[in-house]
Structure formats: structure tokens, C-alpha cells
């Protein structure tokens, strides 16, 4: 009798250890919209994935350059069929395909970046990059002498527009006369076109170049002309040592690790996450020595304020036509920010 | 648009048109010998990657530039083998080469995306760069652009004033008669393909060594196809190609500058300009041409006789 | 002294050309394996994963079938034009405009019943694609402009036009500012067959494939196409209205690609967005050529190449091979098959040279 109890205890004990080990072992998949190994969007996510890889019991894998639409649906289906536990899809256009797949695999957890749809097993997340953009705009506004800043941007989607607006507000905070001119390249990664776009902005008098592009093409243009530049996604100073002032950068590692920890502990819930400076998901890269100390101090002070809870899109804010979009004293809701399709006053360019 | 914007625009047109010009010259050389090579895009991008890698490894951009040309020749030789030896259809072979070339370059270049390489910087020519208007446009460019000021002329000399050039053109114009007269038509076609490939490779290298100093997937972004179109616009004449390439480069630069100036025209429509212009130009060229300069036997394979 | 001389055969080889095809594909797989090695991936494992991912499971089979649908239809169109030696490189743009046409119909009449709306969408898609194919043909016959370049440029223009619409006037107000149209109503969607994962689009393909074959083999125009493809001058001499034929064929070619665009927008994505463009129009050219412009082989080849695309994704996921590998295999297969064509189209003859 005692022997049976012993055996039962042993089996229970082994079973517990086994299930513990089983609970820890996780397969995480990532879907990227562009090739990694650039200094850009997918590269930043991949840095996060690599941080995740270091966790115990977590293996990660990825598929890159996946076109939005049916291709992405198939990739996610494949991952789900292979028994991946968590799947991260890092581009807006993956939203509907992910929703479809999520319905078919209720046991798998799906996380969509930069979208707005959710399900019981699907959440979405993004980073408040606009906070870092505001800070970088402050630097640009302080450093420009011609009061014209050039912004090379990829596609007129809300996150890009939001970034431009935040950047402009930051620049205007330091220098109310500043204008920001926008050129759309309609590509995420084409250094030749991006560089040419930067040059076209330089030709109309811009003396600081900022970008919402993945390649350092615009940085090269700024360096060659001898003006200043703001990078993106990661510190781009190696490409433009005499021009690069700072860059708003991503830091996805902590977010991914936190998410997986929640899944492992069973506390993960579907929802919308939008962490920012305060959580360390976005940041401003170290400012170059070319930026005067008093400017750096102001920027760091503002950064601390935002981390403490201060909002960026606080009224009064007018749009390009002069209409008031945000009343004095109020701030924009998350929903309004996510769907931003208009430019603030001071931006010169179309939103199409 | 004021004169202030016009001069930088024209300077940008020259720079933007240069890689296309190299490729167009290469394709003219090939088509003159009777071979249609639609693999320009693939050959260009292989040249771009080769130039980038060699410059990164050796630190010598000049060596890299030449190496890219040879890479272009090697890539073009695939087209030569399929068409001249295996009698493959020239249109499809060129397309296949483009698909293969783009895939190969993107595949091999994966780890080098977002990395920079030593390359060519603008090199203003001492006295000439001071000339108002012409100075900034033509004489403040980099070395590889200056090469393109003489290469078309040299190619013209070769094609129209040497015996070899004459033979090359004969191979493309009337290969049957030329063979009967004892000319090694296949040999000249090989010269056309390999020589053309060299210039296409150079054109690609310009993008990764001078226009930018970066590598990326699809760096050439369709410029090779524009080159094929420009050959027709240039009536297969090297000197005309210069005008076409700068015109096209100018349109590409223009649409960006229109945006920078604050136009309200949607960017998608502006981006159509280069392509719509190419069609318009082609229609115009076809309309005007009475006596055609198109090599008579372009695109047809010949069975080598003994 | 002797030499090998090649002489064109009267009729291309039949059965032995199949072996040439297989040999070519094997060769291209070998070369791809070599490239895998250069990239640092174990070759045998790589090729195995490729095949398993492409054809190794029921899911892969379904995925490949789904992907093969637009490729098949575009390829039928391309093959039709190629039979006349008119080099239609514009399937991509004709597909785009077909999708645009179908979307216009779907967005304008979302409350119409399906039996009315779907045929209307098809009609619009086919008309739009047809016009886009007709224009280069018109320019070719009347002005002798090179159709290769015109169709290629029109690809870019069509895709940019699609972008213009979805970024601008057709943008869904509920899409938070992202470039996509509203989701199509139920009536505008081509759905699944019963409880299976197969779309009705497959039936469309079957229907059009058979129609294509009947048209080419038994109609008078089909005969005219065959005759003109072989020898334009002789055909004109025999009284065939060649100019009109080219324009008709190109319009039909564009129409087929337009139908593919309709299916993709309606059945696969249920709306119009930029990512509908996946390079099917270009793959269609590879397929058409590999299949020797024959509709049955086009069916097989589009399935194979679709499977290849699916398999390459498996390669990415399991072995982290870059996505560009797919282009390498496609290009190699086409080149080796082209080269292999020497043996089916020509005969080797030993000739003794008289010295």
C-alpha cells in the first residue's frame, strides 16, 4: 500500500516536472514585410526577436519579405499548423489575414503590430513612436537655420502622418517659424529614390533632413550637402557622421519578452497595447555633440515629462487649412491618433 | 519654377540618367549585333552587387567598377549560351535572365543590406565647374558620369567608323548575306552580347558605388527595363541615347521636386510620369520613323551554317 | 575534319521532349542546391524542405491550388498572345485593372444580388483588362511600336493607378486611414465550394481552360492564330486580317488576366488593396512558356510554380533561406528548359567537311 503511494507520488512528481518543462517550451514565429538585415523596420523587430531567443525554452523563427494579403495568410497558417504558440505579424496589411487564421486556431496566440482589430486569441500592439518623433523634431527645430525641414516619407498611412505631425509640433515648440516639407517616395526601401527625394528637399532650401524610410539614403544626401539629418529605426550616424543629429528608434525586445512571459504564466489577455517612451519601447538615440547643451537639456526634460505622463498632441492644434482639430486644453484620443489622416499647420505636402 | 530650382533639377537629371545611360549603351551594342537581350535588369543588378562587394572587400572603387563590368559580361554570357548555342527564344531567355539575376543578387546580397561601401564622390572639374549654368549641371558630377560624356562618342566611332563595327552591324542587319560573304556572324553576336553586358554591369555598379553607397534588394528598381525602351527612343544610336537617358532621369527627379515644392497632385499620379513619358516617346519615335534604324535581323536566331 | 551541324526538325519531338523537360528541371534543382550551399544552407535538407513545403501535405496542396488560380488565368492570356508571337508582358497590369474594374462594380452596387453582381463584376474586370491589352496591340499594328516595352510600362501605370484609387477616393473610411477599399458585400464575394477549402474560382479556371482549348482547336479564329503564328506573311497572303486578329487576341489576353484580377479581389482578399499585386503576371509568362502554350500543361505548370512559391516560404521558415531564392529557381528552370529546347527542336548531324 505504501509502495503504491510512493509510486503514485513519484509519477505525480515526474508528471509535474514534465508539465512544467512542457509549459516552458515555446515556439514563437515572426512575419516580416521586408527583408531583415537593413537598418530599418523589420531589422528593429528582428532585434527584438533575437532578445526573445535568449530566453529559456523559447525558440523563434521568422519569414521575411512576406507580401500582405493571401501570402501572409498562408505563412501564418503554416506557422499555426506547425504548432507555433505565439505568432507576431509586423505590418498593417497582415491584419485581416491574421484574423482569419486566428479564427481557425483558437489555441494559438496572435499578435498584430500597427493594426486595430482583435479577437479572443488575437491582440494588437504598436509603439508610441510619435513621442520620440516629437523629441527629434525639437532637435531639428532648434538646429535649422533656414527654417525649412525636409521629411522623406514612404507611404501616406496614419503612422507616418502621425509621426510627421508629432515631429512638426516638436520643431515648432523650439522654433515657431519652422515649416516641414514632405516628399512621398512610395517605397519602404529604395536608397536611390530616397536619396533623390532628400536631394529634392535640399534643393528647395531644407537644411535638416528627416525620414520615415528604412534605408540611410536620405542620410547620405544630407552628409554630402553638409547639412543636418535625423535618422530612423536605429542610430544611423555611421552613414552620416557629420550630419546625423539623433534618431527616433525602436526597442522591441522588452515588449516581446514581456508578452511571452505573460503567455507562459497564463496571464496574457487579448487587447490593444500601445507602450511608449515610458516602457522603453521607443527611444531617442544619443544626440550628437553638434547639438548644443541647452537644446539637449530641453529635449531630455521634455522626455522626462512625457515619461511622467505628459501628452504630445495637446490643443490647440490646427490642420493645414487652418481649421482647429484639437481644442485648446484637450488632447487627442488614442483612436483619433491611430486614424490620423491630416497634417498639422506648418507641414507642406499632400496626404495622398 | 524659378531658375534656382531648374539648375539643381538638371544636375539631378544628369546624375539620375547616368546608370540608365550605361545600360542603354550596352543594350544598343547588343541589339546592333542582332540579339535582343531583355535581361538588362538582371545584369544591372548583378553588376550593382558585384561592384558593391568588391569595393567593400578591397576598398578600391575603381577596381570594383571594372569588376562589375566583368560580372555583367558573365551574366550576359548566359543569354549568349542559351540563344547562340542552344537556339533558345531570345525574348523568353532575356526575361528568364532578369528573373534569375534579380533573385540571385537579392539572395547573395542579403547580409549586406543597410551596409555602406567606399565609392565615388562628386568631383568638380576645376575651371569648368565655375561656368554659370553648365558648370553645376555637367562639371560637378562624379568620375563615372564624366566617363559617359565620352563613351557614347567612342561607341559611335566604333560602330560607324571601324571595320569591326561595320561587321557587328552587318551581323544584326543581314546575317544571311554576311555569312555568305564570309563573316563570322555568330562571333560578332557574341561580341555584341558580351560587350553589351559589360556596360550594363557598369550601369548597375553606378547605383551602388556612386548614386548611393548602399546595397539593397531591388536596387535597380526597373531601370533596366527603361534602358530597353530608351534603345528604341534613341533609334539605336549611341549619341541619341544620352538625350533619352537624361530626359528620363529628369522626369524621375522632377516628380520628386514637384512634391518638395508643395504640389497638391497625388504622388501616385506623379510617379506615373516616367512610364507614361516612355510610352509617349515610343509612340512618337515609331510614328516618325520612316526609314527604320532597327537592325533588320533583331531578335531572330540564325542556325550556324558550316 | 568533321563538325556537328544542327538542323531544324520539321516537327518538335513529342515524348522525348518530356524527358528533356525533366532533365532540365533536375539540372536547375542541382544548380539551386549549389546556390543553397553558397548561401550556407545544407542542400539536401533544403531541397527536401522545398518539396515537402510545396507538395508534402494536404494543406500545401490546397495552398498551391489557391495560388495557382490567378497564375493559371494570367498564363492562359499570355499563351494566347504568345501563340501569335505577340509578346504580351503586360499581364500584371491587365490583372491590376481587372481588379480595379471588379472593385468599381462591387463598390457601386453592394446591395445587388449575387447572381447579378458577380457577372457584372466579371464583365467590368474583363472589359478593363481587355482594353489594357488592346491599347498596346493598336499601337503595335498601326504604329509598329514595340509591344514588349509598351505593355511593361503600362504595368507600372496600372499599378500606380490602383494605388491612386486606394489611397484616395476609394479609401475605406473605416480603415483608419490605411490604403484599402471597404470590404466587399457578401454578394460580391466568390466563395468556397460547399464545406471544402476550394474556391469556386477553380471552377472558373476549369471552364476557361476548356473554353480556351475549344477556341484554339476548333474555331476559325483559332485556326487563323495558328496560321499567323507560323508565318505572318503567308497568313496575310491567304487573306487573314492579321491586324484585327492581333488586336482581338491581345484584348482577349488582357481579358483573361483581368478575370484573374477579379477572382483575387473578390475571392481571396475580399477588397482592393495594393498587396493584391504579387507578381502573378510575370510568373504567368514563365508558366506559359514552360507549358508550350498548351492549356493542359499550363494547368500543370501553374500548379507546380505555385507550389514552388509555397515551398520557398517553407524554406524561409525552417531554414531561414532568403525569399529571393524563389526567383533563382524560377529563372533557372526557365533557362534550362529553353536550352533543352535545342534537343527537341533540332537534330544533331555529323558532317564530314571536305578538306
Amino acid at each position: 500500500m505504501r509502495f503504491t503511494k510512493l509510486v503514485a507520488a513519484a509519477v505525480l512528481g515526474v508528471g509535474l516536472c514534465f508539465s512544467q518543462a512542457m509549459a516552458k517550451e515555446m515556439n514563437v514565429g515572426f512575419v516580416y514585410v521586408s527583408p531583415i538585415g537593413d537598418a530599418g523596420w523589420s531589422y528593429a523587430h528582428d532585434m527584438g526577436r533575437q532578445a526573445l531567443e535568449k530566453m529559456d525554452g523559447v525558440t523563434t523563427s521568422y519569414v521575411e519579405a512576406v507580401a500582405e494579403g493571401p501570402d501572409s495568410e498562408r505563412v501564418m497558417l503554416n506557422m499555426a499548423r506547425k504548432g507555433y504558440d505565439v505568432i507576431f505579424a509586423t505590418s498593417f496589411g497582415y491584419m485581416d489575414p491574421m484574423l482569419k487564421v486566428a479564427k481557425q486556431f483558437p489555441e494559438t496566440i496572435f499578435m498584430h503590430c500597427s493594426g486595430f482589430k482583435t479577437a479572443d486569441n488575437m491582440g494588437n500592439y504598436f509603439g508610441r513612436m510619435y513621442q520620440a518623433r516629437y523629441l527629434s523634431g525639437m532637435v531639428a527645430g532648434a538646429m535649422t537655420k533656414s527654417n525649412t525641414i525636409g521629411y522623406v516619407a514612404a507611404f501616406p498611412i496614419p503612422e507616418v502622418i502621425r509621426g510627421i505631425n508629432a515631429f512638426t509640433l516638436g520643431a515648432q515648440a523650439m522654433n515657431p517659424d519652422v515649416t516641414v516639407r514632405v516628399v512621398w517616395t512610395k517605397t519602404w526601401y529604395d536608397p536611390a529614390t530616397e536619396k533623390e527625394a532628400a536631394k529634392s528637399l535640399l534643393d528647395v532650401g531644407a537644411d535638416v533632413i528627416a525620414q520615415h524610410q528604412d534605408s540611410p539614403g536620405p542620410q547620405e544626401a544630407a552628409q554630402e550637402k553638409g547639412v543636418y539629418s535625423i535618422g530612423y529605426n536605429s542610430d544611423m550616424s555611421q552613414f552620416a557622421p557629420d550630419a546625423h543629429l539623433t534618431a527616433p528608434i525602436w526597442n522591441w525586445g522588452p515588449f516581446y519578452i514581456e508578452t511571452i512571459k505573460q503567455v507562459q504564466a497564463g496571464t496574457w489577455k487579448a487587447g490593444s497595447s500601445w507602450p511608449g517612451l515610458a516602457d522603453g519601447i521607443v527611444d531617442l538615440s544619443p544626440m550628437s555633440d553638434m547639438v548644443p547643451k541647452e537644446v539637449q537639456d530641453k529635449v531630455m526634460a521634455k522626455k522626462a515629462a512625457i515619461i511622467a505622463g505628459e501628452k504630445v498632441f495637446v490643443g490647440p492644434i490646427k490642420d493645414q487649412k487652418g481649421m482647429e482639430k484639437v481644442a485648446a486644453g484637450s488632447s487627442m484620443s488614442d483612436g483619433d491618433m491611430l486614424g490620423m489622416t491630416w497634417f498639422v499647420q506648418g507641414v507642406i505636402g499632400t496626404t495622398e | 519654377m524659378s531658375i534656382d530650382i531648374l539648375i539643381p533639377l538638371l544636375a539631378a537629371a544628369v546624375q539620375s540618367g547616368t546608370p540608365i545611360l550605361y545600360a542603354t549603351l550596352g543594350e544598343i551594342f547588343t541589339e546592333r549585333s542582332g540579339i535582343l537581350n531583355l535581361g538588362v535588369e538582371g545584369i544591372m543588378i548583378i553588376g550593382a552587387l558585384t561592384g558593391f562587394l568588391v569595393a567593400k572587400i578591397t576598398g578600391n572603387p575603381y577596381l570594383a567598377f571594372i569588376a562589375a563590368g566583368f560580372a555583367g559580361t558573365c551574366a550576359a554570357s548566359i543569354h549568349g549560351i542559351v540563344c547562340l548555342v542552344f537556339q533558345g527564344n531570345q525574348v523568353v531567355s532575356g526575361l528568364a535572365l532578369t528573373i534569375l539575376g534579380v533573385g540571385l543578387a537579392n539572395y547573395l546580397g542579403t547580409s549586406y543590406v543597410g551596409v555602406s561601401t567606399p565609392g565615388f564622390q562628386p568631383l568638380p572639374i576645376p575651371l569648368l565647374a565655375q561656368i554659370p549654368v553648365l558648370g553645376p549641371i555637367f562639371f560637378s558630377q562624379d568620375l563615372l558620369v564624366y566617363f559617359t560624356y565620352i563613351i557614347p562618342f567612342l561607341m559611335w566611332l566604333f560602330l560607324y567608323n571601324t571595320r569591326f563595327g561595320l561587321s557587328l552591324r552587318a551581323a544584326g542587319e543581314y546575317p544571311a548575306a554576311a555569312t555568305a560573304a564570309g563573316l563570322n556572324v555568330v562571333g560578332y553576336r557574341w561580341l555584341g552580347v558580351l560587350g553589351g553586358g559589360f556596360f550594363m554591369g557598369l550601369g548597375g555598379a553606378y547605383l551602388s558605388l556612386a548614386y548611393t553607397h548602399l546595397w539593397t534588394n531591388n536596387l535597380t528598381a526597373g531601370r533596366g527595363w527603361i534602358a530597353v525602351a530608351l534603345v528604341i527612343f534613341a533609334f539605336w544610336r549611341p549619341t541619341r541615347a544620352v538625350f533619352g537617358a537624361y530626359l528620363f532621369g529628369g522626369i524621375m527627379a522632377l516628380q520628386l521636386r514637384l512634391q518638395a515644392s508643395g504640389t497638391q497632385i497625388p504622388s501616385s499620379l506623379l510617379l506615373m510620369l516616367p512610364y507614361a513619358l516612355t510610352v509617349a516617346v515610343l509612340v512618337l519615335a515609331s510614328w516618325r520613323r520612316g526609314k527604320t534604324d532597327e537592325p533588320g535581323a533583331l531578335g531572330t536566331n540564325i542556325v550556324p551554317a558550316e | 575534319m568533321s563538325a556537328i551541324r544542327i538542323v531544324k526538325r520539321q516537327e518538335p519531338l513529342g515524348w522525348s521532349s518530356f524527358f528533356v523537360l525533366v532533365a532540365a528541371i533536375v539540372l536547375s534543382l542541382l544548380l539551386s542546391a549549389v546556390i543553397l550551399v553558397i548561401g550556407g544552407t545544407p542542400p539536401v535538407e533544403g531541397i527536401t524542405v522545398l518539396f515537402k513545403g510545396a507538395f508534402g501535405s494536404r494543406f500545401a496542396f490546397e495552398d498551391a491550388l489557391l495560388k495557382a488560380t490567378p497564375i493559371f488565368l494570367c498564363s492562359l492570356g499570355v499563351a494566347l498572345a504568345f501563340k501569335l508571337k505577340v509578346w504580351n508582358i503586360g499581364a500584371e497590369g491587365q490583372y491590376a485593372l481587372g481588379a480595379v474594374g471588379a472593385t468599381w462594380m462591387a463598390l457601386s452596387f453592394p446591395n445587388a444580388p449575387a447572381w447579378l453582381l458577380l457577372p457584372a463584376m466579371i464583365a467590368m474586370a474583363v472589359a478593363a483588362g481587355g482594353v489594357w491589352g488592346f491599347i498596346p496591340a493598336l499601337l503595335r499594328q498601326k504604329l509598329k511600336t514595340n509591344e514588349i516595352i509598351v505593355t511593361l510600362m503600362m504595368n507600372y501605370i496600372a499599378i500606380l493607378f490602383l494605388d491612386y484609387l486606394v489611397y484616395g477616393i476609394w479609401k475605406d473610411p473605416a480603415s483608419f486611414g490605411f490604403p484599402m477599399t471597404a470590404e466587399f458585400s457578401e454578394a460580391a464575394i466568390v466563395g468556397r465550394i460547399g464545406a471544402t477549402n476550394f474556391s469556386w474560382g477553380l471552377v472558373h479556371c476549369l471552364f476557361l481552360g476548356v473554353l480556351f482549348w475549344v477556341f484554339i482547336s476548333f474555331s476559325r479564329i483559332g485556326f487563323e492564330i495558328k496560321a499567323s503564328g507560323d508565318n505572318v506573311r503567308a497568313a496575310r497572303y491567304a487573306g487573314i486580317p492579321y491586324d484585327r486578329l492581333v488586336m482581338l487576341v491581345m484584348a482577349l489576353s488582357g481579358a483573361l488576366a483581368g478575370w484573374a484580377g477579379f477572382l483575387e479581389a473578390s475571392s481571396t482578399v475580399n477588397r482592393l488593396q495594393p498587396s493584391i499585386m504579387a507578381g502573378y503576371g510575370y510568373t504567368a509568362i514563365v508558366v506559359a512558356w514552360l507549358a508550350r502554350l498548351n492549356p493542359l500543361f499550363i494547368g500543370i505548370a501553374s500548379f507546380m510554380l505555385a507550389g514552388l512559391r509555397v515551398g520557398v516560404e517553407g524554406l524561409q521558415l525552417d531554414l531561414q533561406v532568403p525569399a529571393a531564392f524563389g526567383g533563382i529557381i524560377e529563372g533557372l528552370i526557365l533557362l534550362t528548359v529553353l536550352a533543352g529546347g535545342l534537343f527537341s527542336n533540332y537534330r544533331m548531324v555529323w558532317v564530314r567537311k571536305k578538306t
Side-chain angles (χ1 to χ4, degrees):
Chain A
M1 193 54 183
R2 232 180 6 170
F3 180 69
T4 338
K5 273 205 187 144
L6 210 59
V7 169
V11 167
L12 200 63
V14 168
L16 262 173
C17 293
F18 197 60
S19 64
Q20 279 276 61
M22 285 297 277
K24 268 189 158 185
E25 192 59 47
M26 292 200 72
N27 244 333
V28 182
F30 283 81
V31 187
Y32 301 136
V33 74
S34 59
I36 60 168
D38 56 4
W41 170 257
S42 297
Y43 172 79
H45 280 287
D46 205 57
M47 293 279 100
R49 179 191 66 83
Q50 290 178 29
L52 202 51
E53 183 83 31
K54 297 201 177 84
M55 278 176 80
D56 277 332
V58 174
T59 27
T60 64
S61 183
Y62 66 87
V63 183
E64 61 177 2
V66 179
E68 298 163 338
D71 277 358
S72 60
E73 185 175 337
R74 188 181 48 257
V75 168
M76 289 187 271
L77 262 174
N78 246 346
M79 286 183 176
R81 285 172 190 152
K82 289 190 177 185
Y84 278 68
D85 303 287
V86 186
I87 300 177
F88 292 96
T90 59
S91 182
F92 177 77
Y94 295 152
M95 184 169 63
D96 285 330
M98 183 170 246
L99 201 57
K100 276 194 203 167
V101 178
K103 288 201 180 102
Q104 299 174 40
F105 288 89
E107 300 299 314
T108 315
I109 292 183
F110 296 85
M111 289 289 280
H112 178 238
C113 183
S114 78
F116 56 86
K117 289 191 183 166
T118 60
D120 284 336
N121 59 336
M122 171 172 158
N124 60 51
Y125 66 102
F126 205 9
R128 295 185 189 263
M129 175 51 83
Y130 65 84
Q131 292 171 339
R133 287 267 183 213
Y134 183 91
L135 298 175
S136 68
M138 289 174 75
V139 176
M143 300 299 284
T144 175
K145 296 194 180 45
S146 69
N147 286 348
T148 304
I149 302 179
Y151 206 107
V152 182
F155 289 97
I157 56 177
E159 70 197 64
V160 179
I161 295 177
R162 190 168 58 243
I164 296 175
N165 283 339
F167 178 86
T168 307
L169 290 176
Q172 288 168 339
M174 299 291 273
N175 181 349
D177 303 319
V178 115
T179 55
V180 175
R181 288 179 177 263
V182 178
V183 172
W184 301 108
T185 57
K186 288 296 175 60
T187 170
W188 288 112
Y189 203 89
D190 178 358
T193 303
E194 294 167 25
K195 186 168 174 179
E196 195 61 50
K199 292 203 312 208
S200 70
L201 288 162
L202 292 168
D203 286 344
V204 294
D207 64 354
V208 183
I209 296 289
Q211 62 183 77
H212 194 131
Q213 302 274 176
D214 289 350
S215 91
Q219 305 291 311
E220 276 199 355
Q223 170 85 1
E224 280 171 18
K225 189 82 188 269
V227 300
Y228 294 125
S229 65
I230 309 273
Y232 176 56
N233 268 328
S234 64
D235 186 318
M236 288 182 166
S237 45
Q238 53 165 314
F239 300 102
D242 304 313
H244 189 271
L245 296 173
T246 182
I249 57 178
W250 291 104
N251 183 19
W252 290 110
F255 175 77
Y256 287 138
I257 294 178
E258 180 58 37
T259 308
I260 296 302
K261 282 206 179 119
Q262 283 180 8
V263 174
Q264 284 176 330
T267 56
W268 181 86
K269 277 214 172 30
S272 301
S273 297
W274 208 9
L277 271 178
D279 310 278
I281 302 303
V282 300
D283 204 348
L284 195 66
S285 76
M287 287 177 267
S288 132
D289 293 332
M290 294 183 278
V291 183
K293 179 127 188 354
E294 38 317 343
V295 176
Q296 294 201 26
D297 288 341
K298 283 207 183 111
V299 173
M300 296 310 277
K302 187 71 177 177
K303 177 175 171 183
I306 295 179
I307 291 180
E310 193 175 294
K311 300 251 189 270
V312 168
F313 286 103
V314 175
I317 302 182
K318 295 204 176 97
D319 70 7
Q320 281 177 307
K321 296 193 186 68
M323 269 186 16
E324 188 174 83
K325 287 291 221 179
V326 183
S330 63
S331 65
M332 284 185 83
S333 68
D334 276 2
D336 285 339
M337 282 194 279
L338 281 171
M340 205 175 249
T341 53
W342 47 271
F343 278 139
V344 302
Q345 211 168 36
V347 178
I348 301 182
T350 62
T351 52
E352 275 187 15
Chain B
M1 208 180 286
S2 67
I3 193 81
D4 295 325
I5 311 248
L6 199 57
I7 295 182
L9 173 65
L10 292 174
V14 169
Q15 215 203 6
S16 178
T18 298
I20 305 177
L21 179 56
Y22 273 109
T24 308
L25 290 171
E27 180 70 5
I28 287 179
F29 196 72
T30 301
E31 288 196 16
R32 278 286 185 177
S33 74
I35 298 286
L36 178 66
N37 186 351
L38 293 181
V40 190
E41 179 80 0
I43 298 174
M44 267 184 98
I45 201 172
I46 288 188
L49 181 64
T50 307
F52 178 86
L53 286 178
V54 173
K56 189 127 189 72
I57 296 173
T58 66
N60 182 339
Y62 301 95
L63 186 65
F65 192 58
I66 304 292
F70 279 112
T73 305
C74 290
S77 68
I78 299 177
H79 185 62
I81 294 174
V82 172
C83 297
L84 291 169
V85 176
F86 286 95
Q87 307 293 317
N89 177 294
Q90 290 183 22
V91 171
V92 184
S93 168
L95 261 165
L97 184 58
T98 290
I99 296 176
L100 174 65
V102 171
L104 200 59
N106 287 339
Y107 176 82
L108 293 173
T110 313
S111 22
Y112 297 100
V113 178
V115 173
S116 76
T117 185
F120 293 92
Q121 302 294 343
L123 197 65
I125 300 183
L127 278 173
L128 297 171
Q130 313 303 336
I131 307 175
V133 180
L134 291 181
I137 297 176
F138 292 109
F139 301 114
S140 306
Q141 306 282 0
D142 53 70
L143 185 64
L144 304 184
V145 177
Y146 297 144
F147 285 161
T148 62
Y149 295 162
I150 31 173
I151 294 178
F153 177 68
L154 291 176
M155 193 176 277
W156 172 81
L157 263 180
F158 177 82
L159 286 176
Y160 288 92
N161 291 303
T162 68
R163 207 188 64 200
F164 293 111
L166 191 64
S167 306
L168 186 94
R169 288 191 293 128
E173 206 70 57
Y174 14 70
T179 318
L183 197 70
N184 183 354
V185 169
V186 175
Y188 275 101
R189 287 187 162 191
W190 269 111
L191 176 64
V193 170
L194 296 179
F198 185 80
F199 287 105
M200 295 172 199
L202 292 184
Y206 183 78
L207 287 170
S208 64
L209 290 177
Y211 200 38
T212 71
H213 303 103
L214 303 164
W215 163 259
T216 172
N217 269 21
N218 295 318
L219 182 63
T220 46
R223 288 174 174 84
W225 291 109
I226 308 295
V228 181
L230 285 179
V231 169
I232 305 177
F233 173 63
F235 289 124
W236 289 267
R237 289 173 185 278
T239 41
R240 275 283 191 95
V242 178
F243 174 56
Y246 289 166
L247 179 64
F248 201 87
I251 293 292
M252 287 169 91
L254 176 68
Q255 69 93 357
L256 289 168
R257 276 157 183 78
L258 278 175
Q259 283 195 60
S261 311
T263 179
Q264 287 300 308
I265 307 173
S267 50
S268 305
L269 293 181
L270 282 178
L271 276 162
M272 282 188 202
L273 277 178
Y275 309 106
L277 178 78
T278 307
V279 176
V281 144
L282 271 178
V283 170
L284 231 72
S286 319
W287 200 7
R288 277 191 48 204
R289 103 185 150 193
K291 175 172 170 299
T292 173
D293 273 325
E294 177 169 355
L298 179 63
T300 55
N301 286 337
I302 48 158
V303 178
E306 36 181 16
Chain C
M1 192 190 116
S2 62
I4 296 183
R5 187 178 146 184
I6 58 174
V7 175
K8 197 162 173 51
R9 295 179 199 265
Q10 284 287 56
E11 278 291 326
L13 280 184
W15 270 110
S16 38
S17 72
F18 174 71
F19 288 118
V20 170
L21 185 70
V22 171
I25 294 183
V26 168
L27 178 61
S28 49
L29 281 176
L30 277 170
L31 289 170
S32 310
V34 169
I35 294 178
L36 277 178
V37 170
I38 297 178
T41 314
V44 176
E45 198 182 338
I47 301 291
T48 320
V49 167
L50 180 67
F51 272 97
K52 261 216 291 202
F55 310 113
S57 71
R58 199 195 91 208
F59 297 121
F61 181 76
E62 285 171 2
D63 289 341
L65 219 51
L66 190 66
K67 216 164 175 52
T69 305
I71 298 179
F72 175 77
L73 288 176
C74 286
S75 195
L76 279 186
V78 167
L80 192 61
F82 276 23
K83 277 187 193 288
L84 262 187
K85 297 224 183 358
V86 175
W87 307 114
N88 178 12
I89 314 293
E92 190 86 345
Q94 291 142 18
Y95 162 93
L97 278 194
V100 166
T103 304
W104 179 79
M105 206 44 104
L107 292 180
S108 307
F109 306 107
N111 298 315
W115 61 268
L116 209 54
L117 187 55
L118 283 177
M121 285 167 71
I122 295 177
M124 205 63 206
V126 156
V131 164
W132 213 240
F134 175 76
I135 296 176
L138 183 67
L139 292 174
R140 180 188 197 257
Q141 296 313 111
K142 299 298 176 198
L143 292 175
K144 302 223 184 328
T145 27
N146 183 309
E147 74 276 16
I148 298 175
I149 305 300
V150 174
T151 50
L152 185 68
M153 293 295 118
M154 286 174 73
N155 282 348
Y156 288 107
I157 297 176
I159 296 172
L160 284 166
F161 182 60
L162 193 154
D163 279 353
Y164 165 70
L165 289 172
V166 296
Y167 275 100
I169 48 180
W170 278 1
K171 199 190 290 185
D172 181 11
S175 75
F176 271 75
F178 287 93
M180 49 175 56
T181 65
E183 202 164 349
F184 289 176
S185 58
E186 270 301 311
I189 297 182
V190 171
R192 309 273 148 160
I193 303 176
T196 68
N197 264 331
F198 301 119
S199 148
W200 277 107
L202 280 174
V203 176
H204 291 213
C205 285
L206 204 58
F207 169 65
L208 288 168
V210 170
L211 197 66
F212 180 94
W213 176 72
V214 166
F215 179 72
I216 290 291
S217 317
F218 301 116
S219 77
R220 197 193 81 190
I221 299 189
F223 167 75
E224 289 180 354
I225 293 176
K226 255 187 275 204
S228 311
D230 281 333
N231 189 335
V232 179
R233 211 174 287 175
R236 280 198 208 256
Y237 199 67
I240 294 178
Y242 182 68
D243 285 348
R244 285 216 304 258
L245 190 63
V246 169
M247 293 192 264
L248 175 67
V249 161
M250 276 297 284
L252 289 175
S253 180
L256 282 164
W259 196 309
F262 149 74
L263 271 181
E264 195 73 358
S266 160
S267 161
T268 317
V269 189
N270 305 334
R271 56 174 16 122
L272 189 66
Q273 59 191 31
S275 60
I276 209 178
M277 305 308 306
Y280 296 132
Y282 295 114
T283 302
I285 299 174
V286 179
V287 166
W289 196 262
L290 287 177
R292 296 172 185 276
L293 315 181
N294 172 309
L296 177 63
F297 293 156
I298 288 179
I300 299 176
S302 29
F303 178 73
M304 294 268 131
L305 274 169
L308 191 67
R309 282 192 177 210
V310 174
V312 168
E313 275 165 17
L315 260 183
Q316 277 199 66
L317 188 58
D318 292 342
L319 294 173
Q320 317 290 222
V321 172
F325 188 69
I328 295 180
I329 301 192
E330 259 187 45
L332 278 176
I333 291 181
L334 193 53
L335 283 171
T336 48
V337 167
L338 269 172
L342 174 71
F343 301 104
S344 1
N345 290 323
Y346 292 86
R347 218 177 46 219
M348 306 285 136
V349 174
W350 275 99
V351 172
R352 273 210 171 276
K353 266 189 177 168
K354 290 193 167 51
T355 35

